């Protein structure tokens, strides 16, 4: 559940949004409070309603992580539950995913801190050379949706790619699928990726869009060119052990497609939910499915849309109900997150938070396992699948091996 944080990160004071430290950020806790106060009634109404995730232990995990009693989330846990703390020095997508897959990030990412003229001249020159243009547009920090509105017409007129970044370690390129060309955009990103990865920039992201005359829409053909993790991850452990692995959403991109048997993409989270429900019924015994639902983060967290985030959470709670109903004896399902993105917070960046770890295993008794590390998630999955774990984590889940 991309960005579904629950507050309480002990080092939140080291991470900032527009100069404000992330101390006190709490994505789900603050959304629940806004809903209870009637400040998130657009397209929904009343208290935050997450009966299925709360029954697993979401409210209890929030209390454990941050000491907050989230309104409407007070169910007695019926699942396995706890809260995880990240040690990697970042609050970005690769850091969170790699660490929950057993590989904490051992370096500091490179960022582009200047709000304007963000990129060094030699990098701009390389982008122009690969794109075969005389310049780039943007070269700044920007919202992906705002910058195509501002520069889309100029991009069509000049043919220059729109290059921008954010508080994350990213280099993003927006281009029109028809006027610039999707294949050309992907080739540009792929060509720049080795240089940027050598600088320890985590991702080069292709952001294609369509439209005309100032009305532009991003398409689902986004592609992330991410650095490879510095060591084998949970996906590699399973794949190398002969297990089938399924990557839903942008998981394949995040892990540079290493350890992935089958990739399942879609136009949005609704399509990804269909993949997840189908795999709950049809995935091979002993297989691993890893799914990322990104719209909490991309559509609502970064845009600071509290009501939209609440609607997405309530929709996903229904997906979770349908998914858990399809689980078979011997299955283990874990709901977690990679970082926070508190829509009530200042700025537009991710927020440094602990994350929930909610597990459903048919036939298992309810149990809280307390505060754990992100890497313990990978160790627990490896323990359940009975495959060797290579990372630093410890399993919270002891399965019946009789």
């Amino acid at each position: 559940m991309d960005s579904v944080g629950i507050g309480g990160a002990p080092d939140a004071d080291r991470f900032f949004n527009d100069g404000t430290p992330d101390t006190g950020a709490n994505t789900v806790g603050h959304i629940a409070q806004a809903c209870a106060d009637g400040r998130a009634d657009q397209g929904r109404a009343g208290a935050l309603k997450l009966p299925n995730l709360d029954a697993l232990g979401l409210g209890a995990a929030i209390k454990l992580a941050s000491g907050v009693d989230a309104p409407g989330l007070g169910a007695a846990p019926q699942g396995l539950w706890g809260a995880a703390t990240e040690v990697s020095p970042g609050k970005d997508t690769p850091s969170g995913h790699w660490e929950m897959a057993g590989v904490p990030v051992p370096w500091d990412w490179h960022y582009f801190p200047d709000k304007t003229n963000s990129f060094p001249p030699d990098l701009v020159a390389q982008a122009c050379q690969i794109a075969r243009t005389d310049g780039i547009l943007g070269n700044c920090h920007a919202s992906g949706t705002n910058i195509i509105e501002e520069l889309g017409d100029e991009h069509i007129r000049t043919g220059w790619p729109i290059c921008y970044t954010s508080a994350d370690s990213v280099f993003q390129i927006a281009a029109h699928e028809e006027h610039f060309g999707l294949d050309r955009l992907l080739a540009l990103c792929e060509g720049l990726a080795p240089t940027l990865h050598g600088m320890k920039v985590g991702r080069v992201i292709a952001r294609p869009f369509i439209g005309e005359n100032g009305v532009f829409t991003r398409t689902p053909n986004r592609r992330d060119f991410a650095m490879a993790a510095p060591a084998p991850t949970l996906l590699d452990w399973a794949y190398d052990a002969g297990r089938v692995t399924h990557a839903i959403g942008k998981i394949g991109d995040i892990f540079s497609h290493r350890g992935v048997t089958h990739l399942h993409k879609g136009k949005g989270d609704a399509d990804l939910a269909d993949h997840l429900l189908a795999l709950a019924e049809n995935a091979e015994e002993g297989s691993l499915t890893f799914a990322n639902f990104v719209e909490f983060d991309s559509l609502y967290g970064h845009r600071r849309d509290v009501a939209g985030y609440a609607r997405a959470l309530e929709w996903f709670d229904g997906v979770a109900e349908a998914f858990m109903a399809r689980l078979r004896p011997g299955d283990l399902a874990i709901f977690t997150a990679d970082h926070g993105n508190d829509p009530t917070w200042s700025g537009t960046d991710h927020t440094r938070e602990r994350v929930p770890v909610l597990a459903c295993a048919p036939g298992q008794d309810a149990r809280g396992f307390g505060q754990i590390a992100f890497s313990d998630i990978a160790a627990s999955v490896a323990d359940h699948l009975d495959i060797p774990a290579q990372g630093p984590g410890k399993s919270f889940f002891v399965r019946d091996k009789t």
Side-chain angles (χ1 to χ4, degrees):
M1 303 179 294
D2 201 300
S3 85
V4 180
I6 54 174
D11 58 357
D13 60 336
R14 295 176 44 228
F15 297 83
F16 295 85
N17 263 279
D18 277 355
T20 300
D22 286 341
T23 308
N26 190 326
T27 299
V28 182
H30 286 160
I31 292 170
Q33 189 62 59
C35 290
D37 293 344
R39 294 182 285 112
D41 286 348
Q42 296 76 32
R44 59 166 308 282
L48 186 63
K49 302 173 184 66
L50 306 176
N52 298 288
L53 294 174
D54 194 28
L56 288 179
L58 178 58
I62 297 170
K63 178 74 171 180
L64 174 67
S66 56
V68 169
D69 290 308
L73 302 177
Q78 301 300 309
L80 306 171
W81 62 275
T85 303
E86 186 174 11
V87 300
S88 298
K91 52 177 178 176
D92 53 89
T93 294
S95 294
H97 281 81
W98 292 358
E99 190 170 332
M100 77 171 75
V103 183
V105 177
W107 56 65
D108 289 325
W109 295 106
H110 179 81
Y111 301 93
F112 299 104
D114 295 334
K115 300 292 186 181
T116 58
N117 295 318
S118 302
F119 308 123
D122 57 342
L123 186 60
V124 173
Q126 185 180 4
C128 293
Q129 180 183 18
I130 297 172
R132 304 183 305 280
T133 61
D134 294 328
I136 65 171
L137 301 175
N139 195 1
C140 62
H141 282 229
S143 157
T145 51
N146 291 344
I147 201 166
I148 62 173
E149 291 177 4
E150 296 168 4
L151 298 177
D153 286 329
E154 187 176 357
H155 162 71
I156 292 172
R157 179 176 58 81
T158 64
W160 293 5
I162 303 170
C163 302
Y164 62 104
T165 188
S166 69
D168 283 351
S169 179
V170 293
F171 189 100
Q172 304 191 73
I173 307 177
H176 199 285
E177 285 197 357
E178 298 165 357
H179 292 281
F180 190 88
L182 178 59
D183 290 344
R184 185 181 173 199
L185 170 61
L186 296 177
L188 172 57
C189 292
E190 186 174 19
L192 283 172
T195 296
L196 287 154
H197 294 167
M199 298 166 62
K200 293 295 189 292
V201 175
R203 289 176 293 163
V204 184
I205 305 177
R207 294 285 198 175
F209 64 93
I210 56 174
E212 301 289 339
N213 301 320
V215 181
F216 301 107
T217 304
R218 295 201 295 200
T219 77
N221 294 320
R222 163 183 170 160
R223 173 95 181 265
D224 290 33
F225 295 83
M227 282 187 68
T233 71
L234 172 63
L235 285 164
D236 298 304
W237 309 347
Y239 187 88
D240 292 345
R243 305 302 179 88
V244 175
T245 61
H246 297 273
I248 298 179
K250 63 178 185 176
I251 292 297
D253 289 345
I254 293 168
F255 290 93
S256 301
H257 298 274
R258 287 190 348 196
V260 175
T261 309
H262 300 293
L263 182 64
H264 308 269
K265 304 281 276 188
K267 294 182 179 180
D269 279 1
D271 289 345
L272 304 186
D274 289 340
H275 290 311
L276 183 66
L277 296 179
L279 286 167
E281 296 181 328
N282 302 318
E284 301 81 357
E285 183 177 354
S287 63
L288 170 65
T289 296
F290 198 166
N292 172 282
F293 289 84
V294 71
E295 290 179 355
F296 306 108
D297 185 61
S298 62
L299 297 186
Y300 308 113
H302 287 299
R303 300 182 190 184
R304 297 303 188 246
D305 182 349
V306 179
Y309 207 130
R311 292 195 304 271
L313 285 169
E314 291 174 339
W315 167 80
F316 185 79
D317 193 75
V319 173
E321 179 181 27
F323 174 58
M324 289 187 288
R326 287 165 169 78
L327 296 180
R328 299 163 293 189
D331 286 346
L332 170 67
I334 297 177
F335 301 86
T336 189
D338 52 347
H339 49 70
N341 199 346
D342 188 340
T344 73
W345 212 245
S346 62
T348 59
D349 189 19
H350 297 150
T351 43
R352 181 72 162 189
E353 300 180 43
R354 289 183 167 122
V355 300
V357 183
L358 313 174
C360 176
Q364 295 295 314
D365 293 333
R367 178 172 60 87
F369 45 77
Q371 300 276 11
I372 64 170
F374 270 41
S375 55
D376 293 344
I377 298 169
S380 303
V381 173
D383 178 41
H384 175 76
L385 293 176
D386 200 20
I387 60 176
Q390 303 172 34
K394 298 180 180 179
S395 176
F396 63 76
F397 183 80
V398 180
R399 66 190 182 94
D400 183 358
K401 298 184 179 181
T402 62

